[in-house]
């Protein structure tokens, strides 16, 4: 694998990691080692975990996502493993090229290389033209899972900002093809499973129909996340939330084009090493027949209302 390209796609330096660790009072390596040890001991005591050999890097990032709380990190790991069991259909694809072949010419999605000044990772997407069908949105969710797995393993950030460009398409066509059950499920997987700390959701469009789409989105997330949903008629208002310079060139920034980034991400995520990585991490799920007690109540409601989602 071209490691240089891999690291270019998620740029950050050690100062960023140290800054985040200081924020949660775990900037001493011995502190982090102690928390990781506690987490490992807990994992090995869970009889219903199918695999238990989480990497040190994965556990460190899980702790940072949990703001330094070992109990919160336990919950995040438990939920992700459980969700992989409850919703296996989202985790069955290992090769990004198979997914992208269905989306070619219609949809582009990838994280941007540079963090914001507040150390947030921006995940940007664009619907290129009309014609996306319901099954294609499911492909979008599958590719999103692969990006989240990769970020969970290799990135260091203090939150995620999602930006979606809808200027080239009819919003009513998109809304008519959305499967709300799948949308609820992928949002649960993202925020409850991967513990994405959603700092903002931004749609770029001048269409008044965006009000319908934002209402649908807000109906399946908490009021806190709903308050962070924005619609932008122009790029100028987007720049108030996302630094202009880190955006792709067609959005006025200094980064290469979104299509160029998408091509690079495809090259990295479809290497034999990363395909093996995805196959391995998908197996980190639960065997419910071995769970010490019945499935907890929080999991029982995930197919319904998600008003209880409160992840930062």
């Amino acid at each position: 694998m071209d490691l240089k390209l891999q690291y270019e796609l998620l740029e950050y330096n050690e100062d960023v990691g140290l800054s985040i660790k200081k924020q949660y009072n775990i900037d001493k390596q011995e502190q982090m080692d102690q928390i990781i040890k506690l987490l490992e001991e807990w994992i090995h005591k869970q009889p219903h975990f199918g695999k238990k050999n989480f990497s040190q890097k994965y556990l460190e990032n899980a702790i940072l996502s949990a703001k330094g709380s070992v109990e919160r990190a336990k919950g995040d790991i438990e939920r992700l493993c459980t969700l992989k069991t409850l919703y296996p259909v989202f985790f069955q694809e290992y090769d990004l090229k198979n997914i992208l072949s269905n989306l070619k010419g219609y949809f582009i999605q990838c994280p941007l290389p540079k963090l914001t000044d507040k150390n947030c990772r921006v995940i940007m997407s664009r619907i290129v033209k009309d014609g996306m069908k319901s099954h294609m949105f499911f492909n979008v969710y599958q590719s999103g899972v692969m990006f989240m797995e990769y970020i969970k393993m290799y990135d260091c950030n203090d939150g995620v900002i999602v930006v979606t460009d809808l200027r080239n398409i009819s919003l009513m066509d998109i809304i008519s093809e959305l499967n709300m059950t799948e949308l609820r499920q992928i949002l649960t997987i993202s925020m409850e499973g991967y513990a994405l700390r959603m700092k903002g959701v931004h749609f770029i469009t001048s269409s008044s129909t965006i009000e319908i789409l934002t209402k649908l989105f807000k109906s399946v997330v908490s009021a806190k996340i709903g308050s962070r949903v924005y619609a932008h008629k122009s790029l100028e208002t987007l720049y108030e939330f996302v630094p202009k310079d880190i955006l792709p060139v067609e959005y006025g920034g200094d980064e290469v084009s979104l299509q160029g980034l998408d091509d690079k991400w495809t090259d990295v995520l479809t290497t034999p090493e990363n395909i093996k990585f995805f196959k391995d991490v998908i197996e980190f799920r639960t065997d419910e027949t071995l769970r010490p007690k019945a499935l907890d109540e929080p999991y029982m409601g995930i197919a319904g209302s998600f008003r209880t989602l409160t992840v930062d």
Side-chain angles (χ1 to χ4, degrees), residues 15-275:
D15 291 340
V16 171
L18 184 59
S19 173
I20 294 173
K21 289 176 183 178
K22 282 184 176 179
Q23 184 178 341
Y24 302 128
N25 299 314
I26 46 174
D27 51 308
K28 301 277 192 303
Q29 188 58 48
E30 55 267 27
Q31 293 173 305
M32 179 61 75
D33 291 342
Q34 184 178 13
I35 296 175
I36 288 175
K37 183 178 179 181
L38 290 172
L39 204 51
E40 286 178 326
E41 290 174 351
W42 173 80
I43 288 169
H44 284 287
K45 291 178 181 178
Q46 306 311 304
H48 58 298
F49 280 10
K51 293 183 69 173
K52 303 181 182 184
N53 57 328
F54 292 86
S55 72
Q56 293 276 308
K57 175 65 174 174
Y58 186 96
L59 294 179
E60 180 172 316
N61 282 346
I63 291 162
L64 292 177
S65 295
K67 299 182 178 181
S69 167
V70 67
E71 292 305 315
R72 186 169 176 176
K74 288 178 185 179
D76 291 342
I77 292 171
E78 172 73 61
R79 280 188 290 272
L80 182 54
C81 291
T82 302
L83 288 165
K84 287 180 179 180
T85 301
L86 291 178
Y87 299 137
V89 68
F90 288 94
F91 304 93
Q92 290 177 346
E93 183 56 72
Y94 310 125
D95 191 339
L96 188 63
K97 285 183 179 177
N98 292 339
I99 300 172
L100 296 183
S101 64
N102 297 322
L103 298 174
K104 189 173 179 60
Y106 286 94
F107 187 84
I108 304 172
Q109 172 181 245
C110 61
L112 300 185
K114 293 182 175 63
L115 295 169
T116 69
D117 51 1
K118 294 183 179 180
N119 296 327
C120 289
R121 180 68 61 193
V122 179
I123 299 177
M124 193 160 192
S125 63
R126 178 169 69 234
I127 300 182
V128 179
K129 62 182 179 181
D130 287 324
M132 284 191 66
K133 302 302 180 184
S134 180
H135 72 276
M136 298 171 74
F137 282 103
F138 187 76
N139 291 142
V140 170
Y141 304 151
Q142 286 181 307
S143 65
V145 163
M146 298 177 79
F147 283 122
M148 286 186 285
E149 284 285 8
Y150 194 86
I151 287 173
K152 188 81 173 176
M153 181 68 181
Y154 294 109
D155 198 17
C156 185
N157 65 65
D158 201 26
V160 170
I161 298 172
V162 176
V163 179
T164 304
D165 186 351
L166 302 170
R167 292 177 294 178
N168 293 336
I169 50 95
S170 165
L171 291 187
M172 285 308 300
D173 287 348
I174 293 299
I175 292 169
S176 67
E177 293 293 334
L178 278 177
N179 181 316
M180 292 305 294
T181 298
E182 289 178 353
L183 179 61
R184 290 186 182 104
Q185 291 170 348
I186 193 61
L187 286 171
T188 299
I189 290 168
S190 302
M191 290 186 281
E192 293 282 5
Y194 288 102
L196 288 191
R197 297 170 57 207
M198 201 76 74
K199 298 297 186 179
V201 178
H202 301 266
F203 298 107
I204 309 171
T205 178
S206 59
S207 172
S208 59
T209 311
I210 189 62
E211 293 182 11
I212 299 175
L213 183 60
T214 55
K215 283 181 180 178
L216 287 173
F217 187 88
K218 289 179 181 181
S219 72
V220 294
V221 295
S222 68
K224 185 175 185 179
I225 301 300
S227 69
R228 298 172 180 174
V229 177
Y230 304 90
H232 302 276
K233 292 183 178 180
S234 72
L235 296 176
E236 294 303 318
T237 55
L238 177 66
Y239 298 153
E240 297 173 15
F241 299 88
V242 181
K244 180 179 179 180
D245 61 300
I246 75 169
L247 291 168
V249 62
E250 66 267 41
Y251 294 91
D254 299 330
E255 192 53 73
V256 301
S257 70
L258 190 59
Q259 183 62 66
L261 288 172
D262 181 74
D263 292 341
K264 289 183 178 181
W265 271 104
T266 302
D267 288 343
V268 166
L269 297 188
T270 56
T271 60
E273 295 94 334
N274 274 325
I275 290 176

